[in-house]
Amino acid sequence: MSQRSYGRRRVLVTGGAGFLGSHLIDRLLARGDEVLCVDNLFTGDKSNLDHLAGNPRFEFMRHDVCFPLFVEVDAIFNLACPASPIHYQHDPVQTTKTSVHGAINMLGLAKRLKVPIFQASTSEVYGDPSIHPQPEAYWGNVNPIGPRSCYDEGKRCAETLFFDYRRQHGINTKVARIFNTYGPRMHASDGRVVSNFIVQALRGEDITIFGDGSQTRSFCYCDDLIEAIIRLMDTGPDVCGPVNIGNPCEFTILELAQKVLEKIGGRSRLVTQPLPQDDPLQRKPDITQARQLLDWEPKVELDEGLDRTIAYFREVVGNDASAMAQEICVV
């Protein structure tokens, strides 16, 4: 990263009020950076940043990255985009705009300022893969016209823009392909499998499994992921990615549901629904490059990560129940 000669780094994090963005901001502030958080709060939640109130090195700006941004910073982390199917399919055209226009605007800012820029890409660029596990050299198997295409193809186009800006304008770009990540501050109703299972079990509802539960995912705890992102951004300009970031330990969806039930208990039953269109049947990262380039691999086991995440959602669900009870009393 570049650094001003007269003081701290000033770092821009777009999508900073989101699940991963807020954890990234915590890490940047902890190491002494100044942080400008930009978020339009479509899926981000300012409560994820409440603990930063009064921090003199933190600033929040409500802004949509689909429009140009004129600020002065030393590095850019571009995390702005709805990331769960429920959210990105709600307004698919806007999702594509956020990925494409957002990338153009942030790359234009990086070009003007001559600063490094990080792009949060996704394992969804691999689609429903025919190669397992997925290495970065795999070009993917993506449906360009399906209900998930706004996200999958939007992120693929963003990667194209990052590499074209790098080749054409010499920008120091970093691209990470993020696999399934979980942890505190996930949105309780974002439809992702970990948060879904935990919230349903805590509320005593049936746990919904799409398909027969044999499809696989690899779950990376948020702290591990943030460590990898920072290490990638701190590499020299010769390292650009894309680099897979995720946990190579693979679990079936049914195994995850059973783990959650064992930890939470209660009377929830497992119920099945049809598999959504284009939902990948397998997902597991090949993290050879992350090990070699970043000296990184995940450390938090699924059991430990689930315990931390369940503790967070116990408080969230408990607060929701208390608020509902108070509302009923008032009425």
Side-chain angles (χ1 to χ4, degrees):
M1 287 186 193
S2 67
Q3 184 166 3
R4 294 174 180 163
S5 59
Y6 55 87
R8 298 186 181 98
R9 268 176 305 221
R10 181 166 167 80
V11 181
L12 168 63
V13 179
T14 70
F19 159 49
L20 291 178
S22 62
H23 284 289
L24 174 61
I25 288 172
D26 285 346
R27 288 290 301 275
L28 294 171
L29 289 171
R31 74 178 196 175
D33 291 332
E34 295 178 354
V35 177
L36 170 61
C37 168
V38 168
D39 203 303
N40 68 351
L41 300 181
F42 173 61
T43 58
D45 189 337
K46 281 193 76 174
S47 68
N48 288 334
L49 307 170
D50 282 349
H51 62 290
L52 301 178
N55 188 319
R57 290 187 285 109
F58 173 74
E59 180 183 354
F60 175 82
M61 177 189 296
R62 187 162 185 170
H63 179 82
D64 188 335
V65 296
C66 290
F67 300 93
L69 181 64
F70 301 99
V71 295
E72 302 295 321
V73 294
D74 302 303
I76 302 168
F77 289 85
N78 185 36
L79 278 67
C81 189
S84 72
I86 286 178
H87 290 148
Y88 68 64
Q89 291 178 24
H90 172 72
D91 189 345
V93 172
Q94 184 62 29
T95 296
T96 303
K97 285 182 177 180
T98 301
S99 289
V100 178
H101 292 182
I104 291 171
N105 287 327
M106 292 306 106
L107 285 162
L109 180 62
K111 176 187 172 186
R112 178 176 71 83
L113 298 174
K114 298 180 174 58
V115 299
I117 179 169
F118 169 90
Q119 168 66 11
S121 191
T122 173
S123 62
E124 297 304 313
V125 300
Y126 298 122
D128 189 8
S130 56
I131 293 178
H132 193 75
Q134 293 81 57
E136 291 88 348
Y138 176 51
W139 290 357
N141 177 35
V142 176
N143 178 359
I145 59 171
R148 301 170 67 102
S149 305
C150 57
Y151 185 68
D152 303 358
E153 296 287 29
K155 290 290 191 177
R156 285 164 70 94
C157 185
E159 286 196 16
T160 299
L161 286 163
F162 266 68
F163 279 86
D164 283 340
Y165 265 77
R166 180 181 182 86
R167 285 185 286 259
Q168 188 171 339
H169 301 296
I171 296 187
N172 182 3
T173 57
K174 315 286 185 182
V175 175
R177 290 175 177 166
I178 297 173
F179 283 67
N180 291 67
T181 306
Y182 69 100
R185 301 181 197 163
M186 294 183 79
H187 199 293
S189 58
D190 67 4
R192 300 189 209 191
V193 64
V194 173
S195 52
N196 256 16
F197 287 177
I198 292 175
V199 171
Q200 288 174 333
L202 288 173
R203 290 174 175 166
E205 302 169 353
D206 291 339
I207 291 182
T208 306
I209 295 176
F210 293 99
D212 61 5
S214 63
Q215 65 270 38
T216 67
R217 296 293 185 269
S218 304
F219 302 103
C220 185
Y221 189 66
C222 55
D223 289 358
D224 284 332
L225 184 98
I226 298 304
E227 176 65 26
I229 287 175
I230 288 176
R231 289 191 185 197
L232 177 57
M233 191 58 147
D234 286 346
T235 56
D238 56 315
V239 177
C240 58
V243 177
N244 287 339
I245 301 179
N247 194 318
C249 296
E250 189 177 15
F251 295 87
T252 68
I253 297 301
L254 181 59
E255 287 173 331
L256 176 67
Q258 291 168 339
K259 274 185 175 292
V260 170
L261 274 178
E262 288 171 7
K263 290 178 178 297
I264 295 177
R267 299 181 179 179
S268 298
R269 300 175 303 137
L270 301 180
V271 298
T272 60
Q273 290 188 9
L275 197 65
Q277 181 181 339
D278 299 330
D279 195 53
L281 296 180
Q282 291 180 306
R283 184 68 85 229
K284 176 182 176 179
D286 179 334
I287 63 168
T288 302
Q289 283 203 53
R291 288 188 174 113
Q292 293 175 347
L293 297 174
L294 311 180
D295 190 25
W296 174 89
E297 59 184 337
K299 300 185 185 312
V300 179
E301 301 287 345
L302 182 60
D303 280 312
E304 180 184 354
L306 284 177
D307 288 341
R308 297 182 193 177
T309 309
I310 288 169
Y312 167 79
F313 277 114
R314 280 192 192 279
E315 186 173 344
V316 170
V317 172
N319 289 341
D320 288 348
S322 297
M324 189 176 297
Q326 289 176 7
E327 186 175 330
I328 291 171
C329 290
V330 169
V331 173

